[in-house]
Amino acid sequence: MQPGPFDTPLYFSEGLTAFVASNFRGKSSVLELVTWCLRGTRRDVLKARVRRWLRHVDLDATVAGTPMAFRLDLTDGEIAAAVVLTGPDITALEEVRVPDPDRGITPLLRAASTASYAEQIAGLMLGRMDLQPLLNSRKETSTTTHGWPSYFGAIYLPTGADKPLMGDVMTDGLPGRLLQVFLDLPAAAALTRVKTVHDVRVAGNKARRKEAEEAAAARTTERVRLQSELGKAQDLLASLSPSGTSEVSLADLAHTTMDLAQAVADAQDIWEEADRTFRRARTERQHAAKLLNDVTESATARLLFHGLNPTSCPRCDQSIDDERRREERQAHTCAVCTREVVGDDEDPQAVTAEAEIRLEATTAAEEAAKTEREQARADVRQLTGQLEEAQAELRRAQSAADLPARLAAHEAVLRLEGALSVMEAPQETPPDEAEEKAIRILAAAAGLLERDSKAAATQLFKEINEEIASLAIRFGLPSLESVSIDRAARLKIYPVGSPQEWFQDQTAGEKLRLRVAVAIALLRIGRRNGVSTHPGLLLIDSPKSEEMQSADAHKLFRELAAVAADNELQVLLTTADFDLANATLPKDTIRQAAEGAPLW
């Protein structure tokens, strides 16, 4: 870059635009700045020193038919203020950086930080392009959400060395999910969400049953121990004969033993109350976790979040059955009055955040109750030990042996009988019928969606395989006979006269050409079937650097320009090969700097 201030406008062609400049002269930075504006989050390859040169970044684009002006104000390489404007047409937005209601220019979002801009752009772009976040279960205990940045990985093509065929993330099955969404397989996003929620709820239900079984087993073990000790104490008491004499010291010891026995009984009561408190706290925490899951998944749950949740009618005490609860979730009607739940779900993040705070509070309460329970249990054990020591001392201090031993045995019997009386025999925990029913419904829904998706995929995948093979041959893979892509975005390659190969086995240049072919095939099939889920934009950085011969690069550039012009596809690519660009591309598609000079 040249020293001093700069203000460089760059205009993009409707089809292909090639940025041509020497190496390290700003070509890739253009793609990265476009990415920052559209993706909401910048990529790590956008160097900090480049960001610190910038004070303002403006981008005008049409997104899903809506003219948008992205305006970023930067300080020290981070967003200090940002606004996205819309207006009557893209021309009206040129040179405009603030809203102008008189001209019909209004803001779609405002942000005051890098994080705020990223969050708001993600929501804006998903909404405008009618895309849903991709959910995935994490170890069957929680969910992870992949939003707009994951979709953008199918726009900015990875380098040849990267593994994914689509997108830039291999985990959570994202390449296949992107493929299914862009093919508009019936209910692809809904299928993912249903399966994820099903897996998490199944795991949670199993964990709750296991916890109840372990608690019942521990209680049974404790009762068996107490019954065994009680039998021994009763046998000892029966074998002892009453003593006719006693001394003052023995009476004092006996009194102390009685006091300790009472203290043990009181401590046992405290422990039982602490145990009940802990179980209530655990139930409240589980309810808060379920509530968080509900408000995350359901706008109705968020609207009713701050309302009461009665179990019966406040007037006639008629219980509110599961049917009404289901109608509330599915048909958005109040479970109490059956009226439709209406309202604006304008701030789902606040509801979700409050639900998360409730979960944190109930989790803390559960931990505190658990600590109190353990302390109460420790007190019982300590007092029990003191009682046993007092009883032993009483036995040692007695002269005739009968009275102290009988007192001790009697106290032991009373203590053990008291412990058994408050420790009820464990009962089998009944299944959560509502949860079991919800899991069955989710499983059935997932099965139906899966069948619909597979049925629709058969013809679509035949068409897309033919398109990919045709395009890849045009892009410089003449030895290719056919390809086969599956719903997980795994691509099989069938060279002429050779065994089948996989996408990951190809060279970097071959991978790039196949990725471009897949993206354009998705766009073509989408247009043919009336599907508009693919954004229609591709960013390709230095394709010739991917182990590509000059002849192949000439063919790829020429075909890319033709395909982009024919398919309403906008392609932004960079190259340092001046001869290649000028020999293969129309002049009006080239944005070129002098050799050695900066592009902007």
Side-chain angles (χ1 to χ4, degrees), residues 22 93 99 131 172 189 204 249 255 261 265 333 361 399 521 529 542 544 562 580:
S22 301
L93 295 172
L131 296 172
D172 297 338
S249 59
H255 182 72
T333 57
S399 58
N529 291 277
S542 300
K544 190 183 175 184
L580 170 64

Side-chain angles (χ1 to χ4, degrees), residues 502-524:
W502 288 97
F503 171 78
Q504 57 264 31
D505 299 326
Q506 309 306 301
T507 66
E510 290 167 340
K511 284 183 178 179
L512 175 62
R513 280 170 277 190
L514 287 167
R515 286 194 182 100
V516 175
V518 169
I520 296 174
L522 287 174
L523 191 68
R524 280 185 169 179

Side-chain angles (χ1 to χ4, degrees), residues 48 147 154 211 232 281 312 385 391 400 429 466 481 488 586:
E211 183 179 358
K232 294 176 181 179
S312 61
Q391 291 170 340
T429 303
E466 294 172 354
E481 181 176 1

Side-chain angles (χ1 to χ4, degrees), residues 182-318:
F182 289 149
L183 277 178
D184 198 34
L185 293 181
L191 174 59
T192 298
R193 295 171 69 87
V194 169
K195 291 177 69 174
T196 298
V197 174
H198 172 268
D199 292 345
V200 171
R201 296 187 80 153
V202 166
N205 200 35
K206 288 181 179 178
R208 286 189 292 273
R209 288 202 303 269
K210 182 179 179 181
E211 183 179 358
E213 291 170 358
E214 291 176 348
R219 200 171 185 86
T220 298
T221 301
E222 181 66 9
R223 280 186 59 85
V224 170
R225 185 188 68 81
L226 291 173
Q227 288 171 339
S228 175
E229 292 185 4
L230 176 60
K232 294 176 181 179
Q234 289 171 335
D235 291 342
L236 177 60
L237 181 60
S239 67
L240 296 174
S241 58
S243 173
T245 60
S246 63
E247 299 178 2
V248 176
S249 59
L250 292 178
D252 291 341
L253 287 173
H255 182 72
T256 300
T257 302
M258 291 291 292
D259 289 344
L260 284 172
Q262 184 61 47
V264 168
D266 293 341
Q268 187 74 27
D269 290 341
I270 293 172
W271 178 82
E272 290 293 332
E273 180 60 28
D275 184 66
R276 288 191 289 271
T277 301
F278 166 73
R279 293 179 182 277
R280 286 195 299 270
R282 182 176 61 191
T283 299
E284 292 174 359
R285 188 262 303 163
Q286 292 171 343
H287 176 72
K290 184 176 184 301
L291 182 60
L292 174 58
N293 185 71
D294 288 343
V295 300
T296 302
E297 298 298 327
S298 169
T300 302
R302 292 192 290 273
L303 289 171
L304 297 175
F305 179 73
H306 294 101
L308 298 176
N309 189 26
T311 58
S312 61
C313 175
R315 298 193 64 188
C316 66
D317 288 335
Q318 180 91 20

Side-chain angles (χ1 to χ4, degrees), residues 48-77:
R49 60 180 174 83
V50 175
R51 301 200 311 270
R52 290 193 179 95
W53 293 337
L54 304 174
R55 294 295 175 265
H56 309 287
V57 177
D58 296 354
L59 175 68
D60 296 337
T62 300
V63 179
T66 301
M68 293 188 187
F70 300 81
R71 304 294 185 250
L72 309 185
D73 296 333
L74 308 181
T75 301
D76 294 330

Side-chain angles (χ1 to χ4, degrees), residues 103-238:
R103 296 172 55 194
I105 299 174
T106 57
L108 295 174
L109 66 82
R110 295 179 184 272
S113 68
T114 300
S116 175
Y117 181 72
E119 180 180 357
Q120 294 189 65
I121 281 291
L124 174 67
M125 299 301 279
L126 287 177
R128 294 287 170 169
M129 305 194 71
D130 195 23
L131 296 172
Q132 298 295 323
L134 299 171
L135 264 66
N136 182 70
S137 62
R138 179 62 56 87
K139 297 181 180 179
E140 297 185 344
T141 59
S142 61
T143 60
T144 55
T145 302
H146 300 277
W148 173 241
S150 294
Y151 281 107
F152 202 86
I155 295 176
Y156 200 144
L157 298 188
T159 62
D162 289 345
K163 293 182 179 180
L165 175 63
M166 291 196 65
D168 51 11
V169 178
M170 281 291 290
T171 59
D172 297 338
L174 279 179
R177 294 182 181 180
L178 290 174
L179 175 68
Q180 294 179 45
V181 171
F182 289 149
L183 277 178
D184 198 34
L185 293 181
L191 174 59
T192 298
R193 295 171 69 87
V194 169
K195 291 177 69 174
T196 298
V197 174
H198 172 268
D199 292 345
V200 171
R201 296 187 80 153
V202 166
N205 200 35
K206 288 181 179 178
R208 286 189 292 273
R209 288 202 303 269
K210 182 179 179 181
E211 183 179 358
E213 291 170 358
E214 291 176 348
R219 200 171 185 86
T220 298
T221 301
E222 181 66 9
R223 280 186 59 85
V224 170
R225 185 188 68 81
L226 291 173
Q227 288 171 339
S228 175
E229 292 185 4
L230 176 60
K232 294 176 181 179
Q234 289 171 335
D235 291 342
L236 177 60
L237 181 60

Side-chain angles (χ1 to χ4, degrees), residues 223 415-424:
R223 280 186 59 85
R415 173 173 57 82
L416 291 168
E417 288 178 342
L420 280 170
S421 68
V422 297
M423 182 176 289
E424 298 178 355

Side-chain angles (χ1 to χ4, degrees), residues 313 319-330 333-338:
C313 175
S319 63
I320 300 172
D321 58 19
D322 293 342
E323 180 65 24
R324 286 212 177 173
R325 297 290 185 191
R326 184 172 64 256
E327 286 296 317
E328 182 176 275
R329 292 192 301 270
Q330 297 180 352
T333 57
C334 176
V336 179
C337 67
T338 71

